[in-house]
Amino acid sequence: MGDLVQQGVTQQDYSVTSAVLAVGVFALLTLALAWANARFPRVRGVTHGVPVIIVRDGIPDLQRLSTERMSLDDLMADARQKGIRRFDEIELAVLETNGRVSFFTRAGGAGEGAPEHPGIA
């Protein structure tokens, strides 16, 4: 958005009117999308995306990975950063809407996740 406004402002036209018009259009579009997201929950799937399961029970979904344009090497690199060595350690991997991958492993450590008995220390 900033690049488009910058191009509209710094071209040969130096008028304040064109700058206000460029900023106003994007501000109205931002407000309209925010209102639509708040008013109609189904619009959120289109504007923000939907989390996608890419590994289930240690088996990567190759079709889903290709749809999301993600290679097995990229997936394994993300897994290694989380301390996962093999695909069979992954129970579930979810590609989040922000591009990060959430991993849920089969053998969680004692200090990981929510406690089984909250409030007991």
Side-chain angles (χ1 to χ4, degrees):
M1 182 171 126
D3 188 44
L4 292 173
V5 172
Q6 182 264 338
Q7 286 180 2
V9 172
T10 59
Q11 286 182 358
Q12 297 296 327
D13 187 8
Y14 294 109
S15 68
V16 173
T17 305
S18 65
V20 168
L21 183 63
V23 171
V25 166
F26 287 108
L28 281 174
L29 285 173
T30 302
L31 288 174
L33 280 174
W35 174 81
N37 284 331
R39 180 79 170 107
F40 306 106
R42 290 186 182 186
V43 173
R44 285 186 211 129
V46 175
T47 59
H48 290 113
V50 178
V52 176
I53 297 174
I54 53 176
V55 178
R56 186 182 305 256
D57 295 325
I59 302 170
D61 187 348
L62 298 177
Q63 183 178 5
R64 187 65 56 95
L65 284 170
S66 68
T67 301
E68 299 296 330
R69 290 177 176 42
M70 187 174 190
S71 70
L72 281 174
D73 294 333
D74 294 337
L75 179 62
M76 207 54 220
D78 285 344
R80 281 192 303 271
Q81 289 177 354
K82 301 289 184 183
I84 300 170
R85 296 179 184 177
R86 298 181 317 269
F87 278 119
D88 60 354
E89 295 177 19
I90 303 171
E91 182 177 351
L92 193 69
V94 180
L95 179 61
E96 303 292 346
T97 57
N98 62 1
R100 294 183 179 157
V101 180
S102 298
F103 292 98
F104 301 94
T105 57
R106 295 182 192 280
E112 295 184 57
E116 291 184 22
H117 303 288
I120 301 174

